[in-house]
Amino acid sequence: MVKLVIGNWKMHGRQASNSALLDELLAAPCCDAVNVAVAVPSAYLGQIGVRLAGHRMGLAAQDVSRFAEDGAFTGEVSAAMLADMGCRYVLVGHSERRQYFAESAEVLAAKMHHVYASEMLPVYCVGETLAERESGRYVAAVLKQLDDVAVELAGREQVIVAYEPVWAIGTGLVASPAQVAEMHEKLRAALVHIAGASCNISLLYGGSVKADNVDEIFALPQVDGALVGGASLNASQCRKICLAASN
Ligand code: PGA
């Protein structure tokens, strides 16, 4: 099965480097596959959206406002605006947002709601901290994050969840295949329960995914794709990850 690969550029890029990176990616047929997207800073959604016109590679946003209606919310970008710019996916609840912007369960549920209402797909990120992993409470911690938005997942046709252990993000530490398989199995069982048996569920893994570890992650039958941070800024790494996804 072809995997979904989303590159999360985080707060990186300038117009010139963005174009150079996309030129290299779009020249590689494996990166312009239907299940590849780039989550770019909101300042560059216009630039990248124009560049991706006519390509299969999708556009994704890294965050969305908790407010749906246009109004006096300085600095915010609504789901309707992201849809208008051509976004297909929106990251919701990335651990960096949870950590630095203290996003509550209520805010995350509102964001999920608005993304679905604007006919895009949220990529809901979950993951335990190192303390939670070491205490043995990691499954409960991650499933609690699903419960926080359960009302927004119930009855959906399609749900995308990215399991990203906080201790593996940007650290070079990648979760072992057994750790990924265990958590993905728990997540899938919980999602079938929450979203319903007919829901099309995609479970991505994220956390230090690189060209040299992606094969063992994608070899796991529990994994439907990857959310890639640092390596997505490097064209050659990105090409190898996309190629692995299409095998
Ligand atoms: P990383 O980031 O690949 O740089 O660890 C992943 C993410 O935060 O989505």
Side-chain angles (χ1 to χ4, degrees), residues 62-102:
Q62 298 177 9
D63 186 36
V64 62
S65 178
R66 61 197 271 212
F67 301 107
E69 304 300 326
D70 290 6
F73 303 111
T74 301
E76 290 288 271
V77 179
S78 70
M81 291 171 179
L82 298 178
D84 190 38
M85 296 307 288
C87 289
R88 194 183 294 165
Y89 308 99
V90 182
L91 307 186
V92 175
H94 189 281
S95 67
E96 289 149 16
R97 303 268 343 150
R98 292 176 189 266
Q99 182 184 350
Y100 301 121
F101 303 93

Side-chain angles (χ1 to χ4, degrees), residues 62-68 76-79 82 90-94 97-98 101-118 120-124 149 152 156:
Q62 298 177 9
D63 186 36
V64 62
S65 178
R66 61 197 271 212
F67 301 107
E76 290 288 271
V77 179
S78 70
L82 298 178
V90 182
L91 307 186
V92 175
H94 189 281
R97 303 268 343 150
R98 292 176 189 266
F101 303 93
E103 294 190 331
S104 65
E106 191 192 5
V107 164
L108 294 173
K111 291 183 175 193
M112 297 288 285
H113 188 85
H114 304 327
V115 172
Y116 275 120
S118 292
M120 300 175 292
L121 284 168
V123 177
Y124 184 63
V149 298
E152 297 304 330
R156 297 290 180 192

Side-chain angles (χ1 to χ4, degrees), residues 8-24:
N8 175 10
W9 291 7
K10 308 193 180 185
M11 197 169 79
H12 291 286
R14 294 292 184 272
Q15 294 192 66
S17 60
N18 297 342
S19 305
L21 178 57
L22 278 179
D23 283 349
E24 282 201 65

Side-chain angles (χ1 to χ4, degrees), residues 8 10 91 94-96 164 168-172 206-210 227-231:
N8 175 10
K10 308 193 180 185
L91 307 186
H94 189 281
S95 67
E96 289 149 16
E164 300 201 299
I169 295 178
T171 57
S208 297
V209 174
K210 306 263 181 299
L227 182 54
V228 183

Side-chain angles (χ1 to χ4, degrees), residues 13 20 22 64 111 113 117 121 125 128 160 170 173 198 232:
L22 278 179
V64 62
K111 291 183 175 193
H113 188 85
L121 284 168
C125 304
E128 81 282 5
I160 306 176
L173 292 175
S198 62
S232 73

Side-chain angles (χ1 to χ4, degrees), residues 9 13-20 22 40 42-53 59 85:
W9 291 7
R14 294 292 184 272
Q15 294 192 66
S17 60
N18 297 342
S19 305
L22 278 179
V40 307
S42 55
Y44 297 122
L45 284 169
Q47 182 201 4
I48 308 301
V50 167
R51 185 69 185 81
L52 292 181
L59 185 64
M85 296 307 288

